[in-house]
CSV table of all heavy atoms in Angstrom, one decimal:
chain,number,residue,atom,x,y,z
A,1712,ALA,N,-9.6,-13.6,1.5
A,1712,ALA,CA,-10.9,-13.1,0.8
A,1712,ALA,C,-11.1,-14.0,-0.4
A,1712,ALA,O,-12.3,-14.0,-0.7
A,1712,ALA,CB,-10.4,-11.7,0.3
A,1713,ASP,N,-10.2,-14.5,-1.2
A,1713,ASP,CA,-10.6,-15.2,-2.4
A,1713,ASP,C,-11.2,-16.6,-2.1
A,1713,ASP,O,-11.4,-17.5,-2.9
A,1713,ASP,CB,-9.4,-15.6,-3.3
A,1713,ASP,CG,-8.4,-16.3,-2.7
A,1713,ASP,OD1,-8.5,-16.8,-1.5
A,1713,ASP,OD2,-7.2,-16.5,-3.4
A,1714,GLY,N,-11.4,-16.9,-0.8
A,1714,GLY,CA,-12.1,-18.1,-0.4
A,1714,GLY,C,-11.1,-19.4,-0.3
A,1714,GLY,O,-11.6,-20.3,0.1
A,1715,ARG,N,-9.8,-19.1,-0.5
A,1715,ARG,CA,-8.9,-20.4,-0.6
A,1715,ARG,C,-8.5,-20.4,1.0
A,1715,ARG,O,-8.5,-19.5,1.7
A,1715,ARG,CB,-7.6,-20.0,-1.3
A,1715,ARG,CG,-8.0,-20.1,-2.7
A,1715,ARG,CD,-7.0,-20.4,-3.7
A,1715,ARG,NE,-7.4,-20.8,-5.0
A,1715,ARG,CZ,-7.7,-19.9,-5.9
A,1715,ARG,NH1,-7.6,-18.6,-5.6
A,1715,ARG,NH2,-8.2,-20.2,-7.1
A,1716,TYR,N,-8.4,-21.7,1.5
A,1716,TYR,CA,-8.2,-21.9,2.8
A,1716,TYR,C,-7.1,-22.9,3.1
A,1716,TYR,O,-6.8,-23.8,2.2
A,1716,TYR,CB,-9.4,-22.3,3.6
A,1716,TYR,CG,-9.9,-23.6,3.1
A,1716,TYR,CD1,-9.6,-24.9,3.8
A,1716,TYR,CD2,-10.8,-23.8,1.9
A,1716,TYR,CE1,-10.1,-26.2,3.3
A,1716,TYR,CE2,-11.3,-25.0,1.7
A,1716,TYR,CZ,-10.9,-26.1,2.3
A,1716,TYR,OH,-11.5,-27.3,1.9
A,1717,LEU,N,-6.4,-22.9,4.2
A,1717,LEU,CA,-5.5,-23.9,4.6
A,1717,LEU,C,-6.1,-24.6,5.8
A,1717,LEU,O,-6.9,-24.1,6.6
A,1717,LEU,CB,-4.1,-23.2,5.2
A,1717,LEU,CG,-3.3,-22.6,4.2
A,1717,LEU,CD1,-2.1,-21.8,4.9
A,1717,LEU,CD2,-2.8,-23.6,3.2
A,1718,LEU,N,-5.6,-25.9,6.1
A,1718,LEU,CA,-6.1,-26.5,7.2
A,1718,LEU,C,-4.8,-26.7,8.1
A,1718,LEU,O,-3.7,-27.0,7.5
A,1718,LEU,CB,-6.6,-28.0,7.0
A,1718,LEU,CG,-7.9,-27.8,6.2
A,1718,LEU,CD1,-8.4,-29.3,5.7
A,1718,LEU,CD2,-9.0,-27.3,7.0
A,1719,GLY,N,-4.9,-26.5,9.4
A,1719,GLY,CA,-3.6,-26.8,10.2
A,1719,GLY,C,-3.8,-26.7,11.6
A,1719,GLY,O,-5.0,-26.8,12.1
A,1720,ASP,N,-2.8,-26.5,12.5
A,1720,ASP,CA,-2.8,-26.4,13.9
A,1720,ASP,C,-2.5,-25.0,14.4
A,1720,ASP,O,-1.8,-24.3,13.6
A,1720,ASP,CB,-1.8,-27.3,14.5
A,1720,ASP,CG,-2.0,-28.8,14.2
A,1720,ASP,OD1,-3.3,-29.1,14.1
A,1720,ASP,OD2,-1.0,-29.5,14.0
A,1721,PHE,N,-3.1,-24.6,15.5
A,1721,PHE,CA,-2.8,-23.3,16.0
A,1721,PHE,C,-2.7,-23.4,17.5
A,1721,PHE,O,-3.6,-24.0,18.1
A,1721,PHE,CB,-4.0,-22.3,15.6
A,1721,PHE,CG,-3.8,-20.9,16.1
A,1721,PHE,CD1,-2.6,-20.2,15.7
A,1721,PHE,CD2,-4.6,-20.3,16.9
A,1721,PHE,CE1,-2.4,-18.9,16.2
A,1721,PHE,CE2,-4.5,-19.1,17.4
A,1721,PHE,CZ,-3.3,-18.4,17.0
A,1722,ASP,N,-1.6,-22.9,18.1
A,1722,ASP,CA,-1.3,-23.1,19.6
A,1722,ASP,C,-1.7,-21.8,20.2
A,1722,ASP,O,-1.2,-21.7,21.4
A,1722,ASP,CB,0.1,-23.5,19.7
A,1722,ASP,CG,1.1,-22.4,19.3
A,1722,ASP,OD1,0.8,-21.3,18.9
A,1722,ASP,OD2,2.4,-22.8,19.4
A,1723,GLY,N,-2.3,-20.8,19.6
A,1723,GLY,CA,-2.6,-19.6,20.2
A,1723,GLY,C,-1.7,-18.4,19.8
A,1723,GLY,O,-1.8,-17.3,20.0
A,1724,ARG,N,-0.4,-18.9,19.2
A,1724,ARG,CA,0.6,-17.9,18.8
A,1724,ARG,C,1.0,-18.2,17.4
A,1724,ARG,O,1.1,-17.4,16.6
A,1724,ARG,CB,1.9,-18.0,19.8
A,1724,ARG,CG,1.5,-17.5,21.2
A,1724,ARG,CD,2.8,-17.6,22.0
A,1724,ARG,NE,3.8,-16.7,21.6
A,1724,ARG,CZ,3.8,-15.4,22.0
A,1724,ARG,NH1,2.8,-14.9,22.8
A,1724,ARG,NH2,4.7,-14.6,21.7
A,1725,GLU,N,1.3,-19.5,17.0
A,1725,GLU,CA,1.8,-19.8,15.7
A,1725,GLU,C,0.7,-20.8,15.0
A,1725,GLU,O,0.2,-21.7,15.7
A,1725,GLU,CB,3.1,-20.5,15.9
A,1725,GLU,CG,4.2,-19.3,16.2
A,1725,GLU,CD,5.5,-19.9,16.6
A,1725,GLU,OE1,5.8,-21.1,16.2
A,1725,GLU,OE2,6.3,-19.2,17.1
A,1726,TYR,N,0.8,-20.6,13.6
A,1726,TYR,CA,-0.1,-21.4,12.8
A,1726,TYR,C,0.8,-22.5,12.2
A,1726,TYR,O,1.9,-22.0,11.5
A,1726,TYR,CB,-0.8,-20.7,11.9
A,1726,TYR,CG,-1.8,-21.5,11.0
A,1726,TYR,CD1,-3.2,-21.6,11.6
A,1726,TYR,CD2,-1.5,-21.9,9.8
A,1726,TYR,CE1,-4.0,-22.4,10.9
A,1726,TYR,CE2,-2.5,-22.7,9.1
A,1726,TYR,CZ,-3.6,-22.9,9.6
A,1726,TYR,OH,-4.6,-23.7,8.9
A,1727,THR,N,0.5,-23.7,12.2
A,1727,THR,CA,1.4,-24.8,11.5
A,1727,THR,C,0.5,-25.3,10.4
A,1727,THR,O,-0.6,-26.0,10.7
A,1727,THR,CB,1.8,-25.9,12.6
A,1727,THR,OG1,2.3,-25.3,13.6
A,1727,THR,CG2,2.7,-26.8,11.8
A,1728,THR,N,0.9,-25.2,9.2
A,1728,THR,CA,0.1,-25.6,8.0
A,1728,THR,C,0.2,-27.1,7.8
A,1728,THR,O,1.3,-27.6,8.0
A,1728,THR,CB,0.6,-25.0,6.8
A,1728,THR,OG1,0.7,-23.5,6.9
A,1728,THR,CG2,-0.2,-25.3,5.6
A,1729,ARG,N,-1.0,-27.8,7.5
A,1729,ARG,CA,-1.2,-29.2,7.5
A,1729,ARG,C,-1.5,-29.6,6.2
A,1729,ARG,O,-1.9,-30.8,5.8
A,1729,ARG,CB,-1.9,-29.9,8.5
A,1729,ARG,CG,-1.2,-29.7,10.0
A,1729,ARG,CD,-1.1,-31.1,10.6
A,1729,ARG,NE,-1.8,-31.3,11.7
A,1729,ARG,CZ,-2.6,-32.3,12.1
A,1729,ARG,NH1,-2.8,-33.2,11.1
A,1729,ARG,NH2,-3.2,-32.3,13.1
A,1730,SER,N,-1.9,-28.6,5.2
A,1730,SER,CA,-2.4,-28.8,3.9
A,1730,SER,C,-2.0,-27.8,3.0
A,1730,SER,O,-1.4,-26.8,3.2
A,1730,SER,CB,-3.9,-28.8,4.0
A,1730,SER,OG,-4.4,-27.6,4.0
A,1731,GLY,N,-2.2,-28.2,1.5
A,1731,GLY,CA,-1.9,-27.1,0.7
A,1731,GLY,C,-3.3,-26.2,0.7
A,1731,GLY,O,-4.3,-26.4,1.5
A,1732,LYS,N,-3.3,-25.2,-0.2
A,1732,LYS,CA,-4.5,-24.5,-0.3
A,1732,LYS,C,-5.7,-25.1,-0.9
A,1732,LYS,O,-5.5,-25.6,-2.1
A,1732,LYS,CB,-4.2,-23.1,-1.0
A,1732,LYS,CG,-3.7,-22.1,-0.1
A,1732,LYS,CD,-3.8,-20.8,-0.9
A,1732,LYS,CE,-2.9,-19.8,-0.3
A,1732,LYS,NZ,-2.8,-18.5,-1.0
A,1733,HIS,N,-6.8,-25.1,-0.3
A,1733,HIS,CA,-8.0,-25.7,-1.0
A,1733,HIS,C,-9.0,-24.6,-1.3
A,1733,HIS,O,-8.9,-23.4,-0.8
A,1733,HIS,CB,-8.7,-26.7,0.0
A,1733,HIS,CG,-7.8,-27.7,0.3
A,1733,HIS,ND1,-7.0,-28.6,-0.5
A,1733,HIS,CD2,-7.5,-28.2,1.6
A,1733,HIS,CE1,-6.4,-29.3,0.2
A,1733,HIS,NE2,-6.6,-29.3,1.3
A,1734,GLN,N,-10.0,-24.9,-2.0
A,1734,GLN,CA,-11.1,-23.9,-2.3
A,1734,GLN,C,-12.4,-24.6,-2.2
A,1734,GLN,O,-12.7,-25.7,-2.8
A,1734,GLN,CB,-10.8,-23.4,-3.8
A,1734,GLN,CG,-11.7,-22.2,-4.2
A,1734,GLN,CD,-11.4,-21.7,-5.5
A,1734,GLN,OE1,-10.4,-22.1,-6.1
A,1734,GLN,NE2,-12.2,-20.7,-5.9
A,1735,LEU,N,-13.3,-24.0,-1.6
A,1735,LEU,CA,-14.6,-24.4,-1.4
A,1735,LEU,C,-15.6,-23.6,-2.3
A,1735,LEU,O,-16.5,-24.2,-3.0
A,1735,LEU,CB,-15.1,-24.2,0.1
A,1735,LEU,CG,-16.5,-24.2,0.5
A,1735,LEU,CD1,-17.2,-25.6,0.1
A,1735,LEU,CD2,-16.6,-24.0,2.1
A,1736,TRP,N,-15.6,-22.3,-2.3
A,1736,TRP,CA,-16.5,-21.5,-3.0
A,1736,TRP,C,-15.9,-21.0,-4.4
A,1736,TRP,O,-14.7,-20.7,-4.5
A,1736,TRP,CB,-16.8,-20.2,-2.4
A,1736,TRP,CG,-17.9,-20.3,-1.2
A,1736,TRP,CD1,-17.8,-20.8,0.0
A,1736,TRP,CD2,-19.4,-20.3,-1.5
A,1736,TRP,NE1,-19.0,-21.0,0.6
A,1736,TRP,CE2,-20.0,-20.6,-0.4
A,1736,TRP,CE3,-20.1,-19.9,-2.7
A,1736,TRP,CZ2,-21.4,-20.7,-0.3
A,1736,TRP,CZ3,-21.4,-19.9,-2.5
A,1736,TRP,CH2,-22.1,-20.2,-1.3
A,1737,TYR,N,-16.7,-20.9,-5.5
A,1737,TYR,CA,-16.4,-20.5,-6.7
A,1737,TYR,C,-17.2,-19.5,-7.2
A,1737,TYR,O,-18.4,-19.4,-6.8
A,1737,TYR,CB,-16.3,-21.6,-7.7
A,1737,TYR,CG,-15.2,-22.7,-7.5
A,1737,TYR,CD1,-15.5,-23.7,-6.4
A,1737,TYR,CD2,-14.1,-22.7,-8.1
A,1737,TYR,CE1,-14.5,-24.6,-6.2
A,1737,TYR,CE2,-13.0,-23.7,-7.8
A,1737,TYR,CZ,-13.3,-24.6,-6.8
A,1737,TYR,OH,-12.3,-25.5,-6.6
A,1738,GLY,N,-16.8,-18.5,-8.1
A,1738,GLY,CA,-17.8,-17.6,-8.7
A,1738,GLY,C,-17.8,-16.3,-8.0
A,1738,GLY,O,-16.8,-15.8,-7.6
A,1739,ASN,N,-19.0,-15.6,-7.9
A,1739,ASN,CA,-19.1,-14.4,-7.4
A,1739,ASN,C,-19.1,-14.5,-5.8
A,1739,ASN,O,-20.2,-14.5,-5.1
A,1739,ASN,CB,-20.5,-13.8,-8.0
A,1739,ASN,CG,-20.5,-13.7,-9.2
A,1739,ASN,OD1,-20.9,-14.5,-10.0
A,1739,ASN,ND2,-20.1,-12.5,-9.7
A,1740,TYR,N,-18.0,-14.6,-5.4
A,1740,TYR,CA,-17.7,-14.9,-3.9
A,1740,TYR,C,-16.5,-14.3,-3.4
A,1740,TYR,O,-15.4,-14.4,-4.2
A,1740,TYR,CB,-17.6,-16.3,-3.7
A,1740,TYR,CG,-17.8,-16.9,-2.2
A,1740,TYR,CD1,-19.0,-16.9,-1.6
A,1740,TYR,CD2,-16.6,-17.1,-1.4
A,1740,TYR,CE1,-19.2,-17.3,-0.3
A,1740,TYR,CE2,-16.7,-17.4,-0.2
A,1740,TYR,CZ,-18.1,-17.6,0.3
A,1740,TYR,OH,-18.2,-17.8,1.6
A,1741,TYR,N,-16.4,-13.5,-2.3
A,1741,TYR,CA,-15.2,-12.8,-1.9
A,1741,TYR,C,-15.5,-12.2,-0.5
A,1741,TYR,O,-16.6,-12.1,0.0
A,1741,TYR,CB,-15.0,-11.6,-2.9
A,1741,TYR,CG,-13.6,-11.1,-2.8
A,1741,TYR,CD1,-12.6,-11.8,-3.4
A,1741,TYR,CD2,-13.3,-9.9,-2.2
A,1741,TYR,CE1,-11.2,-11.3,-3.4
A,1741,TYR,CE2,-12.0,-9.5,-2.1
A,1741,TYR,CZ,-10.9,-10.2,-2.7
A,1741,TYR,OH,-9.7,-9.7,-2.8
A,1742,ALA,N,-14.3,-12.2,0.2
A,1742,ALA,CA,-14.2,-11.5,1.5
A,1742,ALA,C,-15.2,-12.1,2.5
A,1742,ALA,O,-15.8,-11.4,3.3
A,1742,ALA,CB,-14.5,-10.1,1.4
A,1743,ALA,N,-15.3,-13.5,2.6
A,1743,ALA,CA,-16.3,-14.1,3.5
A,1743,ALA,C,-15.7,-14.0,4.9
A,1743,ALA,O,-14.6,-13.8,5.2
A,1743,ALA,CB,-16.5,-15.6,3.1
A,1744,GLN,N,-16.7,-14.1,5.9
A,1744,GLN,CA,-16.3,-14.0,7.3
A,1744,GLN,C,-17.3,-14.9,8.0
A,1744,GLN,O,-18.4,-15.1,7.6
A,1744,GLN,CB,-16.4,-12.6,7.8
A,1744,GLN,CG,-16.0,-12.5,9.2
A,1744,GLN,CD,-16.0,-10.9,9.7
A,1744,GLN,OE1,-16.8,-10.7,10.6
A,1744,GLN,NE2,-15.2,-10.1,9.1
A,1745,THR,N,-16.9,-15.4,9.1
A,1745,THR,CA,-17.8,-16.3,10.0
A,1745,THR,C,-18.1,-15.7,11.2
A,1745,THR,O,-17.4,-14.7,11.7
A,1745,THR,CB,-17.0,-17.6,10.3
A,1745,THR,OG1,-15.9,-17.4,11.1
A,1745,THR,CG2,-16.7,-18.5,9.1
A,1746,PHE,N,-19.3,-16.0,11.7
A,1746,PHE,CA,-19.9,-15.4,12.8
A,1746,PHE,C,-19.1,-15.9,14.2
A,1746,PHE,O,-18.7,-17.0,14.4
A,1746,PHE,CB,-21.3,-15.7,13.1
A,1746,PHE,CG,-22.3,-15.0,12.3
A,1746,PHE,CD1,-22.6,-15.5,11.0
A,1746,PHE,CD2,-22.8,-13.8,12.8
A,1746,PHE,CE1,-23.4,-14.6,10.2
A,1746,PHE,CE2,-23.7,-13.1,12.1
A,1746,PHE,CZ,-24.1,-13.5,10.8
A,1747,ASP,N,-19.0,-14.9,15.0
A,1747,ASP,CA,-18.3,-15.2,16.4
A,1747,ASP,C,-19.6,-15.3,17.3
A,1747,ASP,O,-20.6,-14.7,17.1
A,1747,ASP,CB,-17.5,-14.0,16.8
A,1747,ASP,CG,-16.5,-14.4,17.9
A,1747,ASP,OD1,-15.5,-15.0,17.6
A,1747,ASP,OD2,-16.9,-14.2,19.2
A,1748,ASN,N,-19.3,-16.2,18.4
A,1748,ASN,CA,-20.3,-16.2,19.5
A,1748,ASN,C,-21.6,-16.9,19.1
A,1748,ASN,O,-22.7,-16.5,19.7
A,1748,ASN,CB,-20.4,-14.9,20.0
A,1748,ASN,CG,-21.0,-15.0,21.4
A,1748,ASN,OD1,-20.5,-15.8,22.3
A,1748,ASN,ND2,-21.9,-14.0,21.8
A,1749,THR,N,-21.8,-17.7,18.1
A,1749,THR,CA,-23.1,-18.3,17.7
A,1749,THR,C,-23.6,-19.1,18.9
A,1749,THR,O,-22.9,-19.7,19.7
A,1749,THR,CB,-23.0,-19.2,16.5
A,1749,THR,OG1,-22.0,-20.2,16.8
A,1749,THR,CG2,-22.6,-18.4,15.1
A,1750,PRO,N,-25.0,-18.9,19.1
A,1750,PRO,CA,-25.6,-19.5,20.4
A,1750,PRO,C,-25.5,-21.1,20.4
A,1750,PRO,O,-25.4,-21.8,21.5
A,1750,PRO,CB,-27.0,-19.1,20.3
A,1750,PRO,CG,-27.3,-18.8,18.8
A,1750,PRO,CD,-26.0,-18.3,18.4
A,1751,ASP,N,-25.4,-21.8,19.2
A,1751,ASP,CA,-25.3,-23.3,19.2
A,1751,ASP,C,-24.1,-23.7,18.7
A,1751,ASP,O,-23.8,-24.9,18.4
A,1751,ASP,CB,-26.4,-23.8,18.3
A,1751,ASP,CG,-26.5,-23.0,16.8
A,1751,ASP,OD1,-25.4,-22.4,16.6
A,1751,ASP,OD2,-27.5,-23.2,16.1
A,1752,GLY,N,-23.1,-22.9,18.5
A,1752,GLY,CA,-21.8,-23.3,18.2
A,1752,GLY,C,-21.5,-23.5,16.7
A,1752,GLY,O,-20.4,-24.0,16.3
A,1753,ARG,N,-22.6,-23.3,15.8
A,1753,ARG,CA,-22.4,-23.6,14.6
A,1753,ARG,C,-21.3,-22.5,13.9
A,1753,ARG,O,-21.3,-21.4,14.3
A,1753,ARG,CB,-23.7,-23.3,13.7
A,1753,ARG,CG,-24.6,-24.5,13.6
A,1753,ARG,CD,-25.8,-24.1,12.9
A,1753,ARG,NE,-26.6,-23.0,13.4
A,1753,ARG,CZ,-27.7,-22.4,12.8
A,1753,ARG,NH1,-28.1,-22.9,11.7
A,1753,ARG,NH2,-28.3,-21.5,13.3
A,1754,ARG,N,-20.7,-23.0,12.9
A,1754,ARG,CA,-19.7,-22.0,12.2
A,1754,ARG,C,-20.3,-21.6,11.0
A,1754,ARG,O,-20.5,-22.2,9.9
A,1754,ARG,CB,-18.4,-22.9,12.0
A,1754,ARG,CG,-17.3,-22.0,11.3
A,1754,ARG,CD,-16.9,-20.8,12.1
A,1754,ARG,NE,-16.4,-20.9,13.4
A,1754,ARG,CZ,-16.0,-19.9,14.2
A,1754,ARG,NH1,-15.9,-18.7,13.7
A,1754,ARG,NH2,-15.7,-20.3,15.4
A,1755,ILE,N,-20.9,-20.4,11.1
A,1755,ILE,CA,-21.7,-19.9,10.0
A,1755,ILE,C,-21.0,-18.8,9.2
A,1755,ILE,O,-20.5,-17.7,9.9
A,1755,ILE,CB,-23.1,-19.2,10.5
A,1755,ILE,CG1,-23.9,-20.5,11.3
A,1755,ILE,CG2,-23.9,-18.7,9.4
A,1755,ILE,CD1,-25.0,-20.0,12.1
A,1756,GLN,N,-21.0,-18.8,7.9
A,1756,GLN,CA,-20.2,-17.9,7.2
A,1756,GLN,C,-21.1,-17.1,6.1
A,1756,GLN,O,-22.2,-17.6,5.7
A,1756,GLN,CB,-19.2,-18.6,6.4
A,1756,GLN,CG,-18.2,-17.7,5.5
A,1756,GLN,CD,-17.3,-18.8,4.7
A,1756,GLN,OE1,-17.7,-19.6,3.9
A,1756,GLN,NE2,-16.0,-18.4,4.9
Side-chain angles (χ1 to χ4, degrees):
D1713 65 1
R1715 295 207 165 75
Y1716 65 92
L1717 292 176
L1718 299 174
D1720 298 322
F1721 181 59
D1722 64 4
R1724 295 179 67 83
E1725 284 170 22
Y1726 187 84
T1727 311
T1728 306
R1729 294 241 240 128
S1730 76
K1732 270 194 197 173
H1733 302 308
Q1734 189 171 355
L1735 162 61
W1736 276 91
Y1737 293 81
N1739 297 89
Y1740 193 84
Y1741 201 72
Q1744 186 176 111
T1745 61
F1746 277 89
D1747 202 80
N1748 199 42
T1749 52
D1751 50 11
R1753 276 183 300 173
R1754 183 53 57 178
I1755 298 164
Q1756 188 181 52

